[in-house]
Amino acid sequence: MEFQINHDVHGKTQVIFEEETEFGPFRSALYYTPEEWSGIPEHVWQGEARKQTDAWITRVRASNIAPSPYQVAPAKVLILFGAGASYGALGIAPSAPPLGPRLFESLCQMFPATWAKVSGRVAEIFMEGNPENGMAALNDEASGYRSVLRFLIRDMAVYFSRFEVQDASANLYCRLVLRFKEQILNGDVVLSTLNYECLIEHAMETHGIVPTYLGEVASGSARILKVHGSCNFIPQGFLAGGTGLAFDWSYENTISTTLKFVHRTAVRAELEKTGIPSAMSMYTENKPNPIGPLALKRLRDDFAGYCKSAGAIVAVGARPYAPDTHIWQPIADSRATISLVADRASCDEWILSHGGGRAKWMGDRFDAAWDDIVASVAVGLR
């Protein structure tokens, strides 16, 4: 168990403790007044941390927060979509989802009462085109946004829930699902995405396929791996640590919970009931999972399992970024042929360092590389 001691946190000594358990990391905190801290032996507060951790493990075992066991059947082809894919997928309303550098501006326009009030250096970081750094700055206690952080992230989920396919004949997600519908339904092709919106689910539903996120796949359904969670993953039945959700929730304050998978049109109403954000990996370095970490860990484990079994991996609109090891290490460790559609400089660098002679660049845009994407999937299915 690891400990971090911070003095003068709201007038108290804060002892943050974290341990990697069979259900993933558990992180919480203890708080002591100056008088309590001056007289408490080390083994006492460590014992209290141990007690809380063991109690959490017991509660998780007795709950349905950890996903029920199920088997991941091998797939022939894994397709991974990133933000660039949705941006260039065509036929989307009310507009194409913005790429990272434009996200802050869009959020400010839609949420004048929350995002538009982010100012000062934090706003400057966003406007400089550094969304990951901006999201990290919001989480810094010194930024002054801790008290409203959960509302900002909740509104971000609402923002992503509004995107939908308007023109199925033009939309590249719809066209790809239609082209490989049989193979998606029988599990030979598995779709995965790093995005929070529900455009792929909309494409699947358009062609009569029911999306399955976790658990066994029923007839007429197909698995979709939302590796970074989703705007429609609504928290239910909390097992929160004692970290003061009401006033200082942060990315480090893990909230273990079951997830309710709702239709994108129900996201706003459902989030207003919970008061906390959807289960989405935070858009910062290493993409931590503060909400519903057990379910999101299982999705990442499933992704790694499919990478291991696939004969072909096609990544569209996802810029290779080796430090995101939960994504790019399983791809590098696979035995699959790897086809990349993203900016050429990033792809060439990754191909040289991690491609193992099995990776190739096919283009920088979803539409421009369409024929090569279809051909790569078809070859992988042979």
Side-chain angles (χ1 to χ4, degrees):
M1 184 177 294
E2 297 181 357
F3 297 94
Q4 177 184 330
I5 299 173
N6 302 310
H7 297 291
D8 197 22
V9 177
H10 304 292
K12 295 183 178 182
T13 293
Q14 177 192 59
V15 180
I16 298 175
F17 57 95
E18 182 172 5
E19 181 170 272
E20 186 68 37
T21 77
E22 63 188 285
F23 300 111
F26 175 68
R27 179 187 175 99
S28 190
L30 304 168
Y31 291 87
Y32 299 96
T33 66
E35 294 77 14
E36 291 171 335
W37 183 249
S38 64
I40 190 169
E42 182 175 305
H43 74 272
V44 172
W45 55 259
Q46 289 188 356
E48 180 59 30
R50 175 80 271 150
K51 186 187 301 182
Q52 284 195 23
T53 303
D54 290 346
W56 180 80
I57 292 171
T58 299
R59 291 170 67 191
V60 173
R61 284 200 182 110
S63 73
N64 61 347
I65 285 177
S68 301
Y70 59 91
Q71 297 296 317
V72 171
K76 292 181 179 180
V77 180
L78 174 67
I79 307 178
L80 172 67
F81 298 104
S86 290
Y87 179 74
L90 308 177
I92 296 169
S95 63
L99 297 176
R102 296 297 302 275
L103 178 59
F104 178 68
E105 179 182 346
S106 299
L107 289 168
C108 289
Q109 291 173 355
M110 185 169 177
F111 300 103
T114 54
W115 278 95
K117 292 185 176 179
V118 174
S119 60
R121 180 54 186 155
V122 176
E124 290 176 1
I125 294 172
F126 276 111
M127 296 304 291
E128 289 167 359
N130 295 309
E132 290 193 355
N133 292 343
M135 293 297 294
L138 279 177
N139 189 53
D140 188 340
E141 192 167 10
S143 72
Y145 292 104
R146 277 284 181 90
S147 62
V148 296
L149 183 58
R150 61 194 174 105
F151 300 109
L152 292 168
I153 306 304
R154 186 190 65 182
D155 284 350
M156 179 186 288
V158 172
Y159 172 79
F160 280 109
S161 73
R162 71 189 188 128
F163 294 102
E164 60 183 16
V165 176
Q166 184 178 56
D167 184 352
S169 63
N171 182 258
L172 298 181
Y173 286 139
C174 286
R175 290 172 57 188
L176 195 69
V177 169
L178 181 61
R179 173 66 176 79
F180 296 105
K181 179 177 178 179
E182 179 182 348
Q183 293 84 359
I184 291 170
L185 280 169
N186 68 24
D188 283 341
V189 173
V190 171
L191 306 178
S192 63
T193 178
L194 307 180
N195 302 333
Y196 303 138
E197 25 78 359
C198 298
L199 290 169
I200 297 176
E201 292 97 310
H202 196 172
M204 296 169 73
E205 293 162 357
T206 297
H207 295 296
I209 302 175
V210 178
T212 293
Y213 300 107
L214 292 168
E216 301 293 345
V217 179
S219 176
S221 184
R223 191 175 306 286
I224 173 172
L225 299 173
K226 305 206 79 170
V227 190
H228 286 164
S230 182
C231 66
N232 67 324
F233 288 9
I234 308 299
Q236 306 282 306
F238 311 132
L239 284 183
T243 51
L245 173 63
F247 65 88
D248 70 347
W249 178 77
S250 70
Y251 305 159
E252 293 77 25
N253 296 161
T254 298
I255 301 175
S256 296
T257 171
T258 55
L259 298 181
K260 179 180 179 181
F261 306 122
V262 305
H263 195 266
R264 64 187 178 279
T265 57
V267 168
R268 181 189 289 270
E270 291 290 338
L271 288 178
E272 287 176 353
K273 297 176 186 177
T274 69
I276 63 173
S278 302
M280 305 184 300
S281 301
M282 293 301 99
Y283 191 17
T284 60
E285 192 77 17
N286 301 320
K287 310 302 185 294
N289 297 324
I291 310 293
L294 303 184
L296 298 194
K297 179 179 184 299
R298 178 62 206 248
L299 288 172
R300 293 187 182 189
D301 290 345
D302 288 353
F303 176 81
Y306 280 113
C307 286
K308 188 174 182 180
S309 68
I313 296 173
V314 180
V316 182
R319 180 174 64 88
Y321 184 58
D324 279 349
T325 55
H326 59 288
I327 300 298
W328 293 101
Q329 197 58 52
I331 294 176
D333 291 342
S334 74
R335 293 176 292 179
T337 58
I338 303 165
S339 303
L340 302 175
V341 178
D343 74 274
R344 182 153 197 174
S346 297
C347 291
D348 283 349
E349 181 180 353
W350 189 87
I351 289 169
L352 182 63
S353 58
H354 294 85
R358 297 171 289 104
K360 63 179 179 180
W361 177 77
M362 297 195 304
D364 59 0
R365 299 197 328 271
F366 199 172
D367 58 345
W370 171 258
D371 290 339
D372 287 333
I373 292 168
V374 171
S376 295
V377 175
V379 170
L381 288 169
R382 292 175 185 170

